[in-house]
Structures are given as C-alpha cells and as structure tokens.
Amino acid sequence: MGHHCCSKQKVKRGLWSPEEDERLVRYITQHGHSCWSSVPKHAGLQRCGKSCRLRWINYLRPDLKRGTFSEQEERTIIDVHRILGNRWAQIAKHLPGRTDNEVKNFWNSCIKKKLIAQGLDPKTHNLLPASKSLLHGGGGGGANPSGNNMARFRPNGGGGAAATPFTISSPAKGGFEAAHTGGMPCGNGGFSASMAAFMDEEAAMWASAVEPGMGVAGMDLPQQQQQQQQIQLVQQETAVVGPRPTALMLTDVAATAGAMAGKSVEMVDVSSVVYGGGGGGATAAFDLDLMVESCGMFCGGAGNAMEQLQWDC
DNA sequence: AACAAGCTCAACCGCGGAAGT
DNA sequence: TACTTCCGCGGTTGAGCTTGT
C-alpha cells in the first residue's frame, strides 16, 4: 500500500530505528523542514515526507514534554475539548510541549473512560441517557426539566422553577450537588451512594470550570488563575467578543453550534437553557468562528440567560 | 510460569484544504 | 477554472507492554 503521496517510492514503514531518528534530527536541525517531501531524500531516509513529519512532530521535536499528563493538563484538555470538540491540534496548542497525537491518545485511553464512568458522553459532555434516568429517577418536580446536564442555574439566577443552588459547571458535580440538596428527585435509590461518592471524588477536577467568583474547591488560587488563562485563551481563539462568558457558556454555545450543524452532538436542550430559559430576546454576544463554520449562521435565539450566565466580576 | 485480556502509544491511512501551475 | 502537489488533521490500527487469572 503506502501513502498515496509516496506510492511511487520504495519507502520503509513501521517503527523508526535510532539511526533513522538520528538522521532526521541531524538534517532538520541543520536545514529545517521547509519542504517535508524533500526531507527524506536529503536526509537519506527510506521514508516518505509524511512519515518524517509525523516522527519529528510527535517524537523528535526538542521542545516536547514527555511523561504523564498532570492534573492541570487533564483539566485543560477536558475544558478545551468541551468547547472545541475533537480538534486535537487546537487542544494541543493549549498544552505546551504536547502533541495532538499525545492529547488524542490520552483522551481515548484515559479521559474518555473517566467521563463514561461518570455517566457522561465524552463527545458532548452531556449525561448519557442511562445516567439521566439514574439522576432524575423518574421523580417529579423541581429538577432540571430538560434532563440535560448542561443546564445550569445560577444561585441568583433569575428565573424558572429552579431554585436549586446549581452553581456548578461540572455535570457530575451538578448531579452530585443536586442529589444532596434535594434539587433533584433522588427517589429511592435513584442516585446511588457509590455514585455520589465517586462524583465527590471527581468534583475537584470538574470544578475547573466553575465561575471564578465562586471559588473552586480543591484548586488553589494559582491553579484557578492558570485555569482561567486557559479559558481566556480559548475565548480568544474562538473570537469571543463582549462580556466575558463562562467557559460553560462557551461550551453550551459551541455545543449548540455543533448540534445545529448536525454533528451528532446531543445538545437538545442547551439552546433552551442558554437562549430560551425564560423567554426574552437577548442575542448572544458571541461571534464564534467555530459557530460560523459549523452552522453558517448563529441562531441568536432568545432569552436573557446569556447575561445571567456571564461572569460576576 | 503461562496465557489471556486490557491498555498505551507510535505510526499509518485517508481526507480536506491551501498553494502552485 | 481545472488540475496537481503538498501539508495538516482526525480517525484508526497494531505492536509491545502490563495486569489479572
């Protein structure tokens, strides 16, 4: 087979030998890689340019940070992924020294499973259907009527029947708090103790996206600041304008965009939360490239919920 | 100790888009 | 405008390693 780009040549495939690595490193440090297709020829390698590029970017680059991901990096990945989806290259830009491949592998091998274990859909960061029924227990009143974990309510948050102190960004934490504040109908065994314990354990991680004014349990101030910087970076990247929205708002909006674009994003109720809420007519103060590219138009629906969700400060 | 199952991660594949002709 | 080439990205694969039985 071989790559279409190098099918004419006889190229070696598979793992790289130390000698090949050395050749590639030596060549690139001396000449750079302005044209990958010519690199193998000049470096004396029986590889295609694509393979050389991959090897350099993912393994040989001197600025690579290797080793396990820190908790901070993990939080960043989750937060950015919630906004950008599977744009690994974009996500990796927020993690100096990490490659898209590394981030992707870490996501698939680790984070994804964590999310699933928490009953979250790793694609949408929403509760999986099974978990929804678990959390909502089939009981009645007061609970988030949408069943969508992305629906969050502010403590001072205006409207609706939700008087529950939903201040969280984390779906898991939300479920946990709700269960413990009676905001959700736990029912008899609708929300297991073990699950609550698990969520409690994970709360610190999820707290990463909590509004800054709220303080974040389990995260010290520098961490919060660092986290905040990451979120701001994403905001800049997505051309956010206007008042600073929470990471969650970005998430909701971006996810909604994804849903509108039919990208198999299960965000059925997000718009009702972010835009709908209690009616109203404020248009979101977003100009997300992401959204433009996703759906071509921005359904600046209704609702003053956007304002309600903005930063406190 | 031997085997199976699960996991990690480097590498490949195929596609889309940009640039050049 | 149409075509070709190249680059970069995301999805997928599979070899090697680890863990459990």
Side-chain angles (χ1 to χ4, degrees):
Chain A
M1 282 240 288
H3 297 158
H4 67 272
C5 65
C6 50
S7 52
K8 304 167 207 162
Q9 308 158 14
K10 190 183 177 185
V11 294
K12 188 184 168 193
R13 294 169 57 198
L15 294 177
W16 281 63
S17 67
E19 291 75 26
E20 288 177 307
D21 283 345
E22 193 188 331
R23 278 173 181 266
L24 184 59
V25 169
R26 197 187 318 136
Y27 177 81
I28 290 177
T29 50
Q30 285 174 6
H31 304 95
H33 52 77
S34 55
C35 179
W36 281 113
S37 55
S38 64
V39 165
K41 194 174 74 179
H42 293 130
L45 293 162
Q46 301 293 314
R47 299 271 182 175
C48 70
K50 212 169 178 175
S51 183
C52 292
R53 176 185 158 273
L54 206 66
R55 184 64 178 171
W56 174 257
I57 289 174
N58 288 335
Y59 202 82
L60 299 174
R61 245 168 50 194
D63 59 328
L64 280 182
K65 184 205 288 184
R66 306 201 67 81
T68 55
F69 282 76
S70 67
E71 203 177 322
Q72 173 64 36
E73 287 177 310
E74 186 176 329
R75 278 195 292 264
T76 301
I77 293 171
I78 293 170
D79 281 340
V80 180
H81 182 275
R82 223 178 331 189
I83 297 167
L84 298 175
N86 289 4
R87 296 183 171 185
W88 306 117
Q90 293 296 313
I91 295 171
K93 284 179 186 171
H94 295 271
L95 300 160
R98 300 295 189 181
T99 68
D100 55 348
N101 209 33
E102 216 175 350
V103 171
K104 183 170 57 183
N105 282 334
F106 182 56
W107 177 273
N108 286 327
S109 66
C110 185
I111 299 179
K112 200 170 173 180
K113 285 169 192 166
K114 274 191 184 180
L115 294 182
I116 291 170
Q118 292 177 60
L120 299 173
D121 185 341
K123 281 184 186 171
T124 65
H125 296 249
N126 282 338
L127 281 176
L128 292 163
S131 302
K132 288 181 186 177
S133 58
L134 180 69
L135 285 174
H136 294 284
N144 166 14
S146 68
N148 188 317
N149 71 296
M150 298 302 278
R152 285 167 290 271
F153 305 91
R154 289 165 63 91
N156 57 347
T164 317
F166 282 89
T167 61
I168 38 73
S169 63
S170 154
K173 186 163 179 268
F176 177 60
E177 283 188 3
H180 283 259
T181 55
M184 283 187 189
C186 310
N188 293 328
F191 189 89
S192 71
S194 60
M195 186 163 182
F198 177 75
M199 287 176 166
D200 194 21
E201 199 176 300
E202 294 295 312
M205 179 183 87
W206 281 106
S208 63
V210 169
E211 297 164 38
M214 305 298 298
V216 176
M219 192 193 291
D220 58 24
L221 197 57
Q223 277 183 307
Q224 293 183 37
Q225 288 169 346
Q226 201 178 342
Q227 186 69 19
Q228 201 51 46
Q229 285 170 3
Q230 292 292 345
I231 291 168
Q232 284 175 358
L233 274 173
V234 178
Q235 287 177 220
Q236 288 162 14
E237 197 172 85
T238 47
V240 173
V241 294
R244 292 166 64 202
T246 64
L248 294 166
M249 286 173 62
L250 284 170
T251 304
D252 292 347
V253 173
T256 304
M260 289 188 293
K263 289 185 176 178
S264 68
V265 181
E266 186 199 354
M267 296 294 295
V268 181
D269 298 311
V270 170
S271 57
S272 68
V273 173
V274 177
Y275 310 118
T283 302
F286 286 91
D287 180 19
L288 295 170
D289 288 344
L290 182 65
M291 299 174 63
V292 172
E293 106 185 18
S294 296
C295 57
M297 56 171 283
F298 178 66
C299 309
N304 53 10
M306 288 297 273
E307 286 175 18
Q308 291 176 7
L309 285 166
Q310 286 165 4
W311 297 100
D312 283 327
C313 48

